[in-house]
Amino acid sequence: MATATQLFTCALLFSCTLFHVARPELIITLVNNCPFTIYPAIQPNAGHPVLEKGGFPLQTLTHRSFRAPDQLWSGRIWGRTGCAHSNGKFHCVTGDCNNRIECNGLGGATPATLAQITIHHGHKDFSSYGVSLVDGFNLPMTVTPHEGKGVCPVVGCRANLLATCPEKLQFRSLGRHGHVVGCKSGCEALGTDELCCRNHYNSPQTCRASTFSEFFKHACPATFTYAHDSPSLMHECSSPRELKVIFCH
């Protein structure tokens, strides 16, 4: 005869199985509305699996959808621009991940606009998402949840900041004489502890907005623009069926 402990264990496993099966499928869709091919990249946070081998080409006015993991997952998504094969080597002008098409867990070079996503957490199966310009800007980007419950706004940066980027922050394709292809953060451009929120400035009390982060915030208020920016900018949407990351929205 089964003991009380065995019965409890079986009941717990059964309830966990039911919860796993009942969790709705979540689709992640990346959409390229830019008038050129981009190479989206996906980097998981430590301990989470790499999705879609970490990167792929996405032609203009096309999209790619894939099923998200069924369990907790968090990571970041960005778009690489100016990508081409040259002298037998693949390279992107912005967002490059060590000269690879498939980043396979590697991060990207700055400046780059980032979508930050955490899925399947909390008792209401939350998906949290936000768009960050803390590492600068290279493409307009928004995140849109579909069929979720609660407060599920569209967030991100629709403005093309390459046209208005301050001279000190401009990142050009061919050094000083090329086109502006990215807009650096104040930290990357000047490297001070204050702008990078390092050492004495690495706390919510001492890490403050700067004239550089305010440039990004004025153009795109629903984004993170410095390391300790408002945590309320990370939105939680309960049980969405799809998270859509749109480039050049």
Side-chain angles (χ1 to χ4, degrees), residues 159-219:
N160 180 12
L161 302 187
L162 303 184
T164 56
C165 183
E167 188 174 356
K168 284 185 179 180
L169 304 184
Q170 290 175 0
F171 179 75
R172 294 179 178 270
S173 56
L174 298 170
R176 294 169 57 185
H177 305 293
H179 296 292
V180 177
V181 293
C183 194
K184 303 176 191 176
S185 66
C187 171
E188 183 179 1
L190 300 179
T192 66
D193 283 356
E194 185 173 8
L195 289 173
C196 295
C197 292
R198 291 189 301 241
N199 299 323
H200 169 71
Y201 296 97
N202 187 20
S203 75
Q205 292 73 37
T206 56
C207 174
R208 298 293 186 183
S210 67
T211 55
F212 300 115
S213 70
E214 286 297 329
F215 160 73
F216 293 113
K217 182 69 73 174
H218 178 74

Side-chain angles (χ1 to χ4, degrees), residues 31-246:
V31 181
N32 180 14
N33 279 347
C34 304
F36 46 82
T37 297
I38 63 171
Y39 281 69
I42 307 168
Q43 182 190 28
N45 289 340
H48 297 288
V50 174
L51 307 183
E52 301 297 291
K53 299 182 179 178
F56 48 85
L58 193 61
Q59 294 182 343
T60 179
L61 303 181
T62 64
H63 70 276
R64 179 158 169 171
S65 297
F66 51 91
R67 182 172 176 172
D70 292 329
Q71 67 278 0
L72 174 69
W73 184 91
S74 63
R76 48 180 50 188
I77 298 171
W78 69 97
R80 293 169 286 170
T81 65
C83 301
H85 289 272
S86 178
N87 298 322
K89 187 176 285 189
F90 178 80
H91 178 72
C92 297
V93 175
T94 68
D96 190 69
C97 60
N98 198 27
N99 301 321
R100 299 184 182 187
I101 294 176
E102 298 171 345
C103 297
N104 283 317
L106 294 177
T110 58
T113 315
L114 297 174
Q116 299 174 321
I117 294 173
T118 301
I119 61 171
H120 297 317
H121 71 95
H123 67 288
K124 292 187 177 180
D125 191 27
F126 281 124
S127 287
S128 299
Y129 58 96
V131 172
S132 171
L133 304 181
V134 174
D135 291 328
F137 171 96
N138 69 332
L139 284 170
M141 173 196 282
T142 60
V143 181
T144 303
H146 289 282
E147 298 183 38
K149 304 177 187 69
V151 182
C152 304
V154 177
V155 300
C157 183
R158 297 174 189 254
N160 180 12
L161 302 187
L162 303 184
T164 56
C165 183
E167 188 174 356
K168 284 185 179 180
L169 304 184
Q170 290 175 0
F171 179 75
R172 294 179 178 270
S173 56
L174 298 170
R176 294 169 57 185
H177 305 293
H179 296 292
V180 177
V181 293
C183 194
K184 303 176 191 176
S185 66
C187 171
E188 183 179 1
L190 300 179
T192 66
D193 283 356
E194 185 173 8
L195 289 173
C196 295
C197 292
R198 291 189 301 241
N199 299 323
H200 169 71
Y201 296 97
N202 187 20
S203 75
Q205 292 73 37
T206 56
C207 174
R208 298 293 186 183
S210 67
T211 55
F212 300 115
S213 70
E214 286 297 329
F215 160 73
F216 293 113
K217 182 69 73 174
H218 178 74
C220 301
T223 61
F224 295 91
T225 59
Y226 61 98
H228 288 279
D229 206 347
S230 172
S232 65
L233 292 167
M234 199 73 177
H235 296 277
E236 288 187 330
C237 184
S238 179
S239 301
R241 295 301 303 274
E242 182 182 34
L243 285 178
K244 190 173 286 184
V245 178
I246 305 177

